Structures are given as structure tokens and as C-alpha cells.
Amino acid sequence: MSGILEGVKVVSMELMEATPAATCWLGDWGADVIKIEPLTGDQFRGTRRIGGRSVFLNIDGAEVNPRFELLNRNKKSLAVDLKQESGREILYKLVKEADVFMTNNEANALKTLKADYETLSQVNPKIVYAFLNAYGTAGPDKDGPGYDRVSAWARAGFQYLIGEPGGDPPTQRSGMMDRTVAPHIVSGVLAALLHKEKTGEGQKIEVSLYQSAVWTLAGDIQVALVAQQLPKDNRSQVANPLWSSYRTRDNRWLCLGMLRPDPYWGPLCKVIERPELENDPRFENMGKRTENRVELINILDEIFMSKDIAEWEELCREHKLIWSRVQSPKEITQDPQALANDFFVDLNHPSGHVPVVASPVKFIQNPASVRGPAPEIGQNTEEILLEYDYTWEDLGRLKEQGVIL
């Protein structure tokens, strides 16, 4: 069955995680994605360590970078030196027939390589050109470099707000904000393609890590725009004790999520086997529980330490509370709910079995699919150029000149 974006041609000068995460979705949905790489390859190919530990897999003696596979499946790789005029001619031939061009290279580098919007829109006036950078295209930092850790996690307020008051600022998990900005890029591309279909007009799309992160944290930032900044959460004094987490006897954490707590207060009292607390004047409604929250949290802390997480889960499920255990990544890979909904798919890799995380949007009539692994550097260069009327003689000459691999 064809993917929902079958026939859409995407050319992407991409590196690391943010734009590759966006083109990963488009590729899963059936688009033809050509990944333009320098002759040395996307630098993310060689990112071996996260948090001091190697993330490479050894499969039958071959090294595999699973995070590169995650974001670069279903793509073709064309390795070309765009500093040479004949290399740029290759890019222009691809762009002329493409629907979408995407990049997260720095603006000055794109101008130097003549791959900026002003140039490529002359090559193809109908091109949808999606540009991602760290801080936006205006202001004092518009040309500043930045990864998601600094541009989004730190500068947009996540690192400030997450964690207990007075504690050290927490470290972000690798690429988390890159994968948060990716859907913003994708939605812009799809809207521009719809506009193009209606009008025949191309479009330039600008997205920044910083602004996407500000939108993601907009609940806090909107309040700061019009009123006082909201304080950091303090688990020992949270206003709604039914919207918090509690340690269990086996040193696990149970997260409660009753945002509207009053309808759940009685059932919770049954779960914790303390029915007398339901009508206790200290806790009988939200206002009273907030007023006496420290006392109630101390009671709940002690009670939840009396049973293991599995016992609490059974009781919470029986009484229809809103809850979850705090899971580790390994537990998520074995979660029956994740498995039942196909959160993970098998990637047919030459080196062996490599499961990957599936893209999260499901099309029922035209489902997404993982059709192939991430390509090697320049794996598809010859295949692609032959489709664009280059001859074998042309390919030999370009290789001799160091334009292609």
C-alpha cells in the first residue's frame, strides 16, 4: 500500500537531529527523501557517546549507530562537494524537480554554498523551502550557533523550571528538543504544500529551536507575559497533592494525575484504605487539601511506602484513578501498551535485526512504513545521478574531480 506522501520529492541538506527527525517522518509517510551530505558525511554518523557511554551497537562484527538509523531510515544519501560549481549544479538539478527543500545548515554557510532561498527559488519558484536555525532570522543572535541543549532547553526556560527549588538545573536528554521542533517543521511543510497545490506558489518556512521551545513551554511563558511568573513546583508543597508522585515500598514512583481532584478524592481514599479521610474537614475539598497540603502529602508519602508499585497499580486500575508508574526507557520497550500499538518497528538492516521507534502519527488507510535502513555515505549517489541524466562517463569525471564519492 502506498504511503500518504507518495510522489512528494524532498531534498534535504541536513545534519545532526532536528531536520533529520522531520524528514524521517516524511520518509515514513512515503515521501522520496534525498539526504545531501558532504563527502565526509553527516557529523551525526560519528556521534559515538552520550553521557560518556557508547551508543553504537556491534552486530555480527559491524558497528551500527542506532540513533542515526532512527532518524535516517527510508532515505537516499547523495554525497557531493557543494563548494565546487559542478557540485552545485547537481543540487540545482535535484531542486528543480523537488517539491520541498529542507535544511538546518547555518544561514551564512548556505549563502556561501549558494543554497539559500534566494538562489534556490530562482531555480524552482514553486519550491517549499524549510529553514531551521537556533535563534531565528532577526535579532543579535540570528547567526549564532546552537544545539537544542542551549538554544531550547536552557534559553527557553526548561532547565530553569524543571527540578526541585534550590536544586541543580537538570541535564537534558540528548536530542529531546530537536525531536520536539521536528513536528513544527513538518506541519509547516505540509501547510505550504497544500497552499502550493491551491495556488501554484512556493513558500519559505522559517523555524527556530528557540521559538519552538518557547511554544512548547507556552503555558508558563504566557502567564509570565501578563502576570507574575509561576513558581517552580515543590513536591513537598504542591498545591494539589493528587497531581504529584509518590515513592513506593520497592523504591519505585507512582505518578498521580487527577487534575480535577474532587471527583477522585473518595476513590483515592478507598485505594489507600483510609476511608475516614474522605470527609475529614482538613481534606474534604480542593481548597482544604491545598490549605493543608503539607500535612496531606506527609500522610500520602507514608501510606504509599507501605506497598510495592504493582500492588498500587492494581488498586488504582480497579478504582479508575488517573495514574502511571514512572518508567525507565527499558521498561517502555517492554510495555504491553506500547507493543500493542506498534510503538516499535523492525528495520531490515544489512547487519542484522535493528528495532527502531516508529513515527507517532498513524494513517489507517495509508499507513507509515519503515522500508529501509539509513544509507551509507553517498550510497545512492550513482543511482540518483543516473536518474537525472548523468552518464557513467560523467560520474567517473565527477569522482576524479572530487565532487562526488
Side-chain angles (χ1 to χ4, degrees):
M1 188 175 294
S2 61
I4 202 162
L5 292 183
E6 183 177 9
V8 174
K9 295 184 177 181
V10 179
V11 175
S12 188
M13 282 177 59
E14 58 183 33
L15 66 156
M16 296 305 289
E17 297 195 62
T19 295
T23 53
C24 168
W25 282 28
L26 299 178
D28 283 0
W29 298 349
D32 181 13
V33 180
I34 296 176
K35 181 183 181 77
I36 303 288
E37 301 188 68
L39 301 186
T40 53
D42 179 346
Q43 59 187 277
F44 192 46
R45 289 180 178 273
T47 302
R48 302 185 63 90
R49 294 185 174 274
I50 299 297
R53 295 186 178 183
S54 174
V55 294
F56 275 50
L57 299 176
N58 190 303
I59 303 177
D60 294 333
E63 283 194 319
V64 176
N65 182 341
R67 297 194 315 138
F68 188 82
E69 294 291 337
L70 168 67
L71 301 183
N72 291 281
R73 65 214 191 194
N74 293 335
K75 300 178 186 179
K76 299 174 182 175
S77 170
L78 190 155
V80 58
D81 182 2
L82 295 178
K83 295 177 182 177
Q84 299 192 50
E85 184 176 350
S86 51
R88 291 192 293 274
E89 288 175 359
I90 292 172
L91 173 64
Y92 299 155
K93 285 191 176 185
L94 269 60
V95 167
K96 191 171 184 178
E97 296 188 21
D99 298 295
V100 182
F101 178 84
M102 301 173 67
T103 185
N104 58 335
N105 282 261
E106 292 183 9
N108 290 333
L110 292 168
K111 287 180 181 178
T112 300
L113 297 173
K114 298 182 181 178
D116 55 315
Y117 174 71
E118 288 68 27
T119 301
L120 297 191
S121 63
Q122 293 296 314
V123 174
N124 180 355
K126 295 183 178 181
I127 196 73
V128 171
Y129 186 110
F131 171 69
L132 171 73
N133 74 347
Y135 296 114
T137 56
D141 296 323
K142 65 183 179 66
D143 296 321
Y147 290 102
D148 66 336
R149 175 182 175 87
V150 294
S151 307
W153 181 253
R155 192 157 183 174
F158 285 89
Q159 197 167 25
Y160 177 88
L161 285 168
I162 293 175
E164 291 288 304
D168 294 340
T171 299
Q172 174 219 340
R173 303 307 299 176
S174 174
M176 185 175 75
M177 302 310 298
D178 284 328
R179 291 183 293 278
T180 299
V181 74
H184 300 176
I185 303 170
V186 170
S187 61
V189 166
L190 296 181
L193 285 173
L194 180 61
H195 175 78
K196 175 183 169 182
E197 185 171 326
K198 291 178 178 179
T199 67
E201 299 172 351
Q203 190 85 206
K204 184 183 182 185
I205 301 162
E206 296 178 349
V207 183
S208 76
L209 284 165
Y210 185 25
Q211 187 168 8
S212 284
V214 167
W215 172 257
T216 303
L217 203 61
D220 280 275
I221 294 171
Q222 178 62 42
V223 173
L225 274 174
V226 299
Q228 294 296 314
Q229 177 173 290
L230 294 172
K232 293 181 68 169
D233 286 334
N234 183 338
R235 200 195 72 83
S236 65
Q237 298 183 26
V238 65
N240 176 8
L242 277 67
W243 184 264
S244 190
S245 298
Y246 296 91
R247 191 189 298 271
T248 62
R249 185 171 60 190
D250 51 348
N251 204 31
R252 299 300 305 269
W253 286 86
L254 180 73
C255 177
L256 301 182
M258 277 75 82
L259 182 61
R260 294 173 57 249
D262 282 347
Y264 294 97
W265 175 238
L268 176 64
C269 290
K270 292 182 176 64
V271 165
I272 62 176
E273 298 175 343
R274 292 289 299 276
E276 76 279 6
L277 292 179
E278 182 174 359
N279 297 311
D280 189 311
R282 297 171 299 170
F283 311 130
E284 59 189 356
N285 57 47
M286 174 64 180
K288 291 292 186 179
R289 288 191 295 274
T290 298
E291 182 181 338
N292 299 291
R293 60 188 181 275
V294 174
E295 186 176 359
L296 178 55
I297 290 168
N298 287 336
I299 291 171
L300 294 176
D301 274 340
E302 182 178 351
I303 291 172
F304 279 111
M305 279 293 290
S306 67
K307 289 182 173 67
D308 291 348
I309 186 74
E311 296 174 86
W312 289 122
E313 287 179 315
E314 184 177 347
L315 289 166
C316 287
R317 188 177 285 111
E318 177 185 345
H319 291 277
K320 302 186 185 310
L321 300 186
I322 303 175
W323 61 276
S324 176
R325 71 165 62 192
V326 177
Q327 294 201 116
S328 71
K330 192 64 177 177
E331 286 177 308
I332 295 165
T333 68
Q334 300 161 355
D335 187 330
Q337 189 65 24
L339 297 176
N341 286 277
D342 300 321
F343 283 18
F344 316 110
V345 293
D346 290 330
L347 188 152
N348 185 19
H349 195 278
S351 300
H353 172 71
V354 180
V356 291
V357 179
S359 50
V361 179
K362 288 182 167 58
F363 300 98
I364 304 306
Q365 284 75 21
N366 297 83
S369 63
V370 175
R371 300 174 300 284
E376 298 296 326
I377 302 171
Q379 177 178 324
N380 309 101
T381 299
E382 293 178 351
E383 169 195 342
I384 293 167
L385 295 187
L386 290 170
E387 291 177 0
Y388 283 81
D389 297 327
Y390 283 86
T391 66
W392 284 108
E393 185 178 271
D394 294 330
L395 299 185
R397 174 175 50 80
L398 290 169
K399 287 184 179 181
E400 287 179 6
Q401 295 171 348
V403 177
I404 63 174
L405 285 181

